[in-house]
Amino acid sequence: MEADVSEMRNELQSRDGLWRRIQLECQKLYTELLKIKEYKDMQEIQIKHQSSCVQLTEQLENKNTELLLFAESREHREEELNKIRNHVYREEQSHCSEQERMKTEISDLTEELHQKEITIATIMEKASLLERQLKMELETKHKLLTKQQLLELRYQVIKSENTHLKEMV
């Protein structure tokens, strides 16, 4: 039973480590997401600043081209962001499933432990009962042995008296 409990502890520690790694990865992804957002915000500020400085038509055309490229790049970043969100969502779902499975497993193990405790208690009761019966039988046999020894002693006395009487006769 101690081996089972130790094995359960090891399994729980292993799963706790996995859970912590998942949390670290989620934190890393969240940090990356913040950096991307900050980068995006910086680029938007830069474009606004540049567009305010633009006075010539040629510069406007260049900025339009830049804006088109930025839009494509933004779509790409949004796709990446969506991928990251989907990955984080899947990780969270996986974690929730794992957590539920662990709760179920812990519940099952607790129930099994409870059943084993009941079994041990039953065995202890039976052992106690058998011990009492054995003591009673030992006492009875001890009394019978004492009686037998007493009877044997009487028999020896009577036998010796009998022998003595026979000699006298």
Side-chain angles (χ1 to χ4, degrees):
M1 202 165 100
E2 287 179 7
D4 289 344
V5 170
S6 175
E7 185 177 326
M8 283 174 41
R9 279 194 190 124
N10 289 339
E11 180 68 21
L12 287 173
Q13 288 174 349
S14 170
R15 290 184 182 175
D16 186 55
L18 177 63
W19 167 244
R20 288 173 194 231
R21 285 193 299 272
I22 289 171
Q23 284 181 325
L24 284 175
E25 186 171 332
C26 286
Q27 284 179 330
K28 287 178 185 176
L29 290 173
Y30 183 73
T31 304
E32 286 180 32
L33 181 64
L34 290 176
K35 286 179 183 178
I36 290 171
K37 185 176 179 184
E38 184 178 319
Y39 177 73
K40 179 183 161 191
D41 292 342
M42 283 178 32
Q43 283 187 340
E44 287 177 355
I45 291 169
Q46 184 181 10
I47 288 172
K48 287 179 184 178
H49 178 69
Q50 288 176 353
S51 65
S52 69
C53 294
V54 173
Q55 296 177 356
L56 300 171
T57 308
E58 185 179 299
Q59 289 175 338
L60 281 174
E61 289 175 6
N62 288 338
K63 292 301 171 187
N64 283 337
T65 305
E66 286 180 25
L67 284 172
L68 288 174
L69 291 174
F70 176 74
E72 288 175 7
S73 139
R74 181 177 160 198
E75 288 176 8
H76 179 68
R77 279 192 297 273
E78 285 179 356
E79 287 175 7
E80 287 181 20
L81 185 60
N82 285 336
K83 286 180 184 177
I84 290 170
R85 283 182 185 149
N86 289 338
H87 179 71
V88 169
Y89 176 76
R90 283 192 305 272
E91 287 296 324
E92 285 176 350
Q93 292 299 317
S94 173
H95 170 70
C96 287
S97 298
E98 182 68 17
Q99 197 173 24
E100 283 301 316
R101 189 185 68 73
M102 286 173 64
K103 284 179 183 176
T104 304
E105 189 173 329
I106 288 171
S107 175
D108 292 346
L109 290 172
T110 303
E111 179 62 29
E112 184 179 330
L113 182 62
H114 180 66
Q115 290 299 325
K116 286 183 179 181
E117 287 173 350
I118 290 171
T119 303
I120 289 171
T122 304
I123 290 171
M124 293 300 285
E125 283 179 28
K126 287 181 182 178
S128 176
L129 178 65
L130 288 172
E131 187 178 348
R132 277 186 267 135
Q133 288 176 348
L134 181 62
K135 282 181 181 178
M136 287 173 51
E137 285 182 27
L138 284 173
E139 286 175 16
T140 305
K141 291 195 186 236
H142 183 67
K143 287 177 185 176
L144 288 174
L145 180 63
T146 306
K147 280 183 182 179
Q148 182 183 1
Q149 288 173 344
L150 184 62
L151 288 173
E152 231 176 78
L153 186 61
R154 284 184 187 169
Y155 172 74
Q156 291 298 326
V157 168
I158 292 172
K159 187 176 177 185
S160 82
E161 283 179 6
N162 194 13
T163 305
H164 177 69
L165 286 174
K166 278 183 183 177
E167 287 175 0
M168 285 177 67
V169 171

